[in-house]
Amino acid sequence: MASEDYTDKDAHEDIKVLHGMGYAQELSRSMSKFSNFAISFSIICILSGGINSFAQAIGSVGGAGAGIGWIVGCLISGMFALAMAQIASAFPTAGGLYHWGSILGGRFIGWLTAWMNLLGLITVLGAINIGTAFFFAGTFGSMFGFTGTAGEVVGFVAVITVAQALFNHLGIKVTAMLTDISGYIIFAATAALVLACLFYAPAIDISRLWTFTNYSGEAGGNVFPQTDNMGYLFLLCLLLPVYTITGYDASAHTSEETVKAAHSVPRSIISAVVWSSLIGWIMVCAITLAIPDMAVAASQGWSMFFLTLDAIMPAGLKNVLYFAILISQLLCGLATVTSASRMLFAFSRDGGIPGASTALAKVSPKYRTPVNAIWTAAVLEILYVFAAQFVSVGGTNLYTIVVNSTLVFLFLSFAIPLTCGMLAYGTDKWKTPGPWAMPAGLYKLISALSIVGMLIIFYIAIQPPNDKVLWIVLGFIALALVIWFAFENRRFAGPPIGAEVEKRRASIAAAEAAVGQRS
């Protein structure tokens, strides 16, 4: 494929970089720079996490949770994005995090990163689609007799997940087209929501955005337990932006399908975080300013966003906004299927899934997508959603436990390779930076700040009512250690490094010939 912006020389350079890391160009390299940005922007989807988790801002420290907390949380995510961009430019492969961990830290680091990232991606896909099901129940569900029972949620999620997987199956061009559309919908719907909130707000009290009020316990609808520690509550309000501004690793996962990946991917990661942070801040501030009575809204807990719009907006306008938000959430799930399947594909082609790697690493010659990995990710998510709705542990719904663990697993899968990158930069493991690179000192400072951010995220993610998260994470790490030393240490070779890359020349040529790729 060649165009004015993407020449044969560019295509040859992309393939050369991929061959240099020991991999074949099996996937279709047809994503533009904008599409690579749009897939991360769609997964971040401020109209999903920013709305479904909005109560965490107000139900902690009041309006300051939106006006100030959002900024602080986005700065934490921004440190991760900058550090990730530096590595993504140097090693632009599908399943980037796993590959980075392996090259920069070693086989075990890569293997552990892969399982954490896969677990995080499958469960976050479930969380996104469950959130979409509940959003549908609270907006249009009554028209269809959909009330959001456990069985209805499982059925709804199964249907939309199959549709999301089908679109992914049909090729990256289809997926990219839909996520491009999603990007425009998010921009337009957020702008309409902001303007409507400000126009119909009973009064505008800008001081709300920096006013701290203790809404823990009953006063905040029990979003967080009662406490008098405002500093602690402020840390908890960061869960809203940190949970929302994640998923930008999707740009790295689709590196092998993106033109000029070493240049495009790092810029897309940063752009997706910057735009989502800025537009998201404007959105949560507008919603906060539109609330008729802060104390009443806080006491409504998780329902405060919907009840606020019910109180101030005409039904017709509200339903149009709800429809746009629903479409954005559906496409957010679609983009997450893309990210999860590429991670599963990349890990499998290096033998990471015992007994199933060969099948999961296959690429369809017709669609140039890892179809088995796509459908496996979809099935795993549906099974998780079924368990999440019908299984409880110690009286707590499994979904509530796992969705908070997801945040830790995702950010740990970011932090581990970023820490390895900081330590390996300039050594034999990473001698040459990619074409997008910060100065060494600045890069290491940003990486160190992202590690501090990880400590903050870990602390707030395991606080009540999410205190079971700590034991889940520790249990998973303990199980991983047992499996590694008992089995995987002897079996798993990891990605090709050094002489192993040269040995793969014949298999690379065969793999590319099988899907019709011309090198």
Side-chain angles (χ1 to χ4, degrees), residues 256-269:
E256 292 175 30
E257 294 157 281
T258 302
V259 300
K260 301 182 185 178
H263 299 267
S264 302
V265 170
R267 289 176 171 85
S268 295
I269 290 171

Side-chain angles (χ1 to χ4, degrees), residues 444-490:
K444 292 186 177 183
L445 173 62
I446 294 293
S447 297
L449 290 174
S450 70
I451 296 168
V452 173
M454 181 66 242
L455 296 175
I456 294 172
I457 291 167
F458 187 75
Y459 174 76
I460 61 179
I462 64 173
Q463 298 305 305
N466 306 321
D467 40 317
K468 292 185 177 69
V469 169
L470 174 62
W471 303 110
I472 290 175
V473 174
L474 293 177
F476 172 82
I477 293 175
L479 178 62
L481 288 171
V482 170
I483 293 173
W484 175 260
F485 287 108
F487 307 104
E488 293 296 87
N489 188 32
R490 295 189 299 271

